[in-house]
Amino acid sequence: MANGNTSDQYTFQDPVNRYPSVSPPKQDQPEPGLDADLEPKTDRGEDSYRGTGRLQGRKALITGADSGIGAAVAIAFAREGADVALSYLPEEEEDAARVIEVIKGAGRTAVALPGDLRDAGYCIQVVQDAVDGLGGLDILVNNAGKQVAVENLEDLSDEQLDDTFKTNIYSFFRVTKAALPHLPAGSSIINSTSIQAYSPSPHLLDYASTKAAINNFTKGLAQQLAPKGIRVNAVAPGPFWTPLQVSDGQPKDALPEFGKDTPLGRAGQPTELAPAYVFLASPESSYVVGETLNVNGGMPSP
Ligand code: NAD
Ligand code: MG
């Protein structure tokens, strides 16, 4: 838990200083980064997110659920009454174990499904294993992502280009396609996109391009699936403090200033995103289809 703030998401408080404007020290982690090694720690809601039964009995598969935003969403879903299957890379077992402990602490089932989403076979298998482990599926959160900053296009390797597209957009197509036969009417699909979809940083060309593709995929698929009673929406985070940022997601020199240029003057904490996913997953958003919820500290977005 970050920064000693144990007030829950319903506590009346000033968003400017709900969390301090952290100045993360320069740091480096190999990909994928671990929450366990991040300095300062993030708030994924372990000590603060209070559920009110909004996802009672639901069955969710979340990719990239071990850390950062996916972990905060997994914790919130469990506290709202959902069972959760977690996809993550095998090298992230330590982070996943911590999130699984919190889900079990909420009295819910957690299904651990390590694997690599660049592998088309795993994209199919992870859905089957989630369905088997949960006894069905009615929420899919496509959230895994790869972000590696490269200053000049000349230095962007073909390998990185391929990995970024396979992880960030091919897997969204493949996992969603595999999930469709299992999703009953009333299900929700939620895609993690980014403010980068509209305002690309010059050093994130490959990443930002995949995020624009995710927005397009979301809006098109939403129209295809709405008549079947399956809602597709997206969440577009601004700068959130997560392990993605220190495993070359940002240029090292930029880390101490990360998120300070938002109108709120600070980076977001992962748990501040969770209510957006809960809203889109729950039946209360029944008429919200093909929408992108921007959660970015006030940065102008279309
Ligand atoms: P994170 O590092 O905690 O999560 C990303 C996860 O993606 C990893 O935990 C990993 O499990 C998964 N992943 C990456 N490559 C994979 C692969 N080949 N196979 C399987 N899983 C793989 O970072 P995060 O910031 O919480 O990122 C979650 C999502 O949010 C990403 O899609 C990211 O693009 C998006 N996002 C983050 C921010 C931010 O500021 N942190 C802003 C906008 C969008
Ligand atoms: Mg991780």
Side-chain angles (χ1 to χ4, degrees):
M1 154 71 209
N3 312 317
N5 186 344
T6 52
S7 55
D8 67 38
Q9 77 272 27
Y10 296 115
T11 307
F12 182 72
Q13 55 196 321
D14 181 348
V16 171
N17 50 34
R18 178 177 178 192
Y19 293 100
S21 179
V22 291
S23 297
K26 285 184 198 173
Q27 56 200 291
D28 191 24
Q29 288 193 38
E31 260 190 286
L34 288 182
D35 260 335
D37 297 336
L38 197 59
E39 188 54 47
K41 296 292 177 229
T42 67
D43 188 354
R44 288 102 39 92
E46 304 94 307
D47 299 328
S48 61
Y49 189 93
R50 179 159 65 91
T52 57
R54 293 162 79 194
L55 301 176
Q56 203 59 47
R58 299 287 297 274
K59 302 168 193 310
L61 167 61
I62 305 172
T63 65
D66 59 294
S67 59
I69 294 163
V73 172
I75 289 168
F77 279 13
R79 294 258 168 92
E80 296 288 358
D83 293 330
V84 182
L86 304 92
S87 160
Y88 53 92
L89 284 162
E91 27 312 19
E92 297 175 304
E93 202 58 58
E94 180 182 357
D95 275 357
R98 173 72 188 117
V99 179
I100 287 167
E101 188 183 302
V102 179
I103 293 170
K104 288 186 172 162
R108 308 310 312 186
T109 299
V111 181
L113 302 173
D116 191 330
L117 286 164
R118 290 171 299 183
D119 171 2
Y122 171 74
C123 291
I124 296 168
Q125 194 61 45
V126 73
V127 170
Q128 192 55 56
D129 291 347
V131 169
D132 291 347
L134 299 172
L137 190 68
D138 55 40
I139 302 171
L140 169 62
V141 179
N142 289 306
N143 168 74
K146 174 187 171 76
Q147 174 184 324
V148 173
V150 175
E151 204 172 326
N152 299 304
L153 182 57
E154 300 91 303
D155 300 324
L156 176 63
S157 70
D158 210 50
E159 188 189 5
Q160 176 173 329
L161 182 63
D162 207 41
D163 281 350
T164 304
F165 273 74
K166 282 200 171 120
T167 308
N168 295 13
I169 180 70
Y170 278 34
S171 84
F172 284 36
F173 274 83
R174 288 168 169 160
V175 172
T176 305
K177 185 177 163 189
L180 280 182
H182 303 283
L183 297 177
S187 297
S188 261
I189 298 171
I190 306 165
N191 298 324
S192 292
T193 175
S194 170
I195 191 169
Q196 291 287 329
Y198 336 103
S199 307
S201 297
H203 55 273
L204 293 176
L205 295 187
D206 54 333
Y207 173 84
S209 299
T210 63
K211 293 298 170 179
I214 291 168
N215 275 16
N216 202 286
F217 173 63
T218 301
K219 289 194 187 302
L221 186 67
Q223 296 173 72
Q224 193 180 112
L225 297 186
K228 297 179 176 156
I230 300 171
R231 295 182 301 106
V232 186
N233 290 287
V235 177
F240 279 77
W241 183 231
T242 71
L244 190 81
Q245 308 300 349
V246 301
S247 45
D248 290 334
Q250 297 294 332
K252 295 297 161 223
D253 292 347
L255 283 181
E257 294 304 308
F258 182 68
K260 290 195 194 308
D261 58 345
T262 61
L264 284 182
R266 63 175 178 84
Q269 292 290 335
T271 194
E272 295 183 280
L273 264 169
Y277 289 81
V278 170
F279 169 69
L280 292 173
S282 105
E284 70 203 293
S285 60
S286 56
Y287 210 64
V288 181
V289 177
E291 183 55 80
T292 301
L293 257 176
N294 294 286
V295 183
N296 61 28
M299 296 175 102
S301 44

